Amino acid sequence: SVLSGTMRISRSRLLPSDQATVHKYWRCHNRAYLLQGNEAKSQYLKSTEFGLNHRNSDNKVKLHAFGIMDNHGHQAVSYSGGVKNLSHFMRVAHGVFGQRFNRAHGRSGAVTNGRPKTTLIQNESHAMRAQFYVEANPVRAGICKAENLKLQTFSSYRYYAFGVVDEHTKILTPPDWYIKLGDTPLDRQARYRGLFMKYLRDGGDDLAKQMHSL
């Protein structure tokens, strides 16, 4: 059909029906820099928290990582009890964010550019690399150096690498592979920092091997 190239494929056909972890990615409408201010980024994460706790997602969606930039956002998210819970979570979170953002800025219309992309994460090694990718965004964009990433309020890196808990990182659920990094929080944080820096140096080529030795 002429329309087949533009038809949207149902998420239920692309992702496992029961449970999975995904790399969620979205852009602002027309690639505008709507998240340029800290207030907007904070509002997005608060809307994410609202979506996680909403009855429609049935407390079966967990946020593992986030990196919010000026015109797009990345998150690592898992769902259980059906892919519908993931869809409900995103619909609520993005709907609430759009309403709050428009009200605060006296505007109307779309804030996000269509529905988010949700790429299936295949295994624990893939999950680690995906999370590093999410958190390394400010470094790749030249916003800060790797050694200063702890100061980035809208990256989950400071939680996993240094144990920082605040209004945004409190909504994180550490993934199983992170718990396996060490017996204590300090052990896990140190191992995480080492693996993250290795990822930046060599692109994570050896991470799969290292995961097998955990």
Side-chain angles (χ1 to χ4, degrees), residues 51 58 66 74:
D58 199 23
F66 61 80
H74 293 269

Side-chain angles (χ1 to χ4, degrees), residues 127-186:
M128 183 191 298
R129 294 196 306 274
Q131 181 160 322
F132 289 167
Y133 177 88
V134 166
E135 295 176 345
N137 259 265
V139 178
R140 285 196 303 274
I143 294 173
C144 75
K145 295 182 178 179
E147 55 267 30
N148 295 325
L149 195 55
K150 180 183 179 181
L151 304 177
Q152 290 294 309
T153 304
F154 303 101
S155 167
S156 53
Y157 175 80
R158 67 197 188 288
Y159 173 81
Y160 290 104
F162 296 98
V164 176
V165 178
D166 61 19
E167 63 176 334
H168 300 314
T169 60
K170 71 178 184 181
I171 66 177
L172 291 166
T173 298
D176 289 343
W177 64 260
Y178 178 78
I179 302 301
K180 296 176 185 177
L181 293 182
D183 293 330
T184 70
L186 289 179

Side-chain angles (χ1 to χ4, degrees), residues 69-136:
M69 304 294 283
D70 287 348
N71 72 342
H72 69 277
H74 293 269
Q75 293 174 325
V77 180
S78 66
Y79 64 88
S80 60
V83 69
K84 66 181 185 301
N85 290 321
L86 175 66
S87 296
H88 290 160
F89 154 70
M90 294 190 295
R91 191 176 301 116
V92 169
H94 280 241
V96 167
F97 174 63
Q99 292 170 5
R100 292 175 175 176
F101 183 88
N102 283 344
R103 185 164 58 245
H105 294 83
R107 70 188 293 277
S108 61
V111 176
T112 62
N113 187 37
R115 73 174 186 176
K117 294 182 179 179
T118 49
T119 302
L120 178 65
I121 290 176
Q122 303 287 343
N123 50 44
E124 288 190 334
S125 177
H126 185 194
M128 183 191 298
R129 294 196 306 274
Q131 181 160 322
F132 289 167
Y133 177 88
V134 166
E135 295 176 345

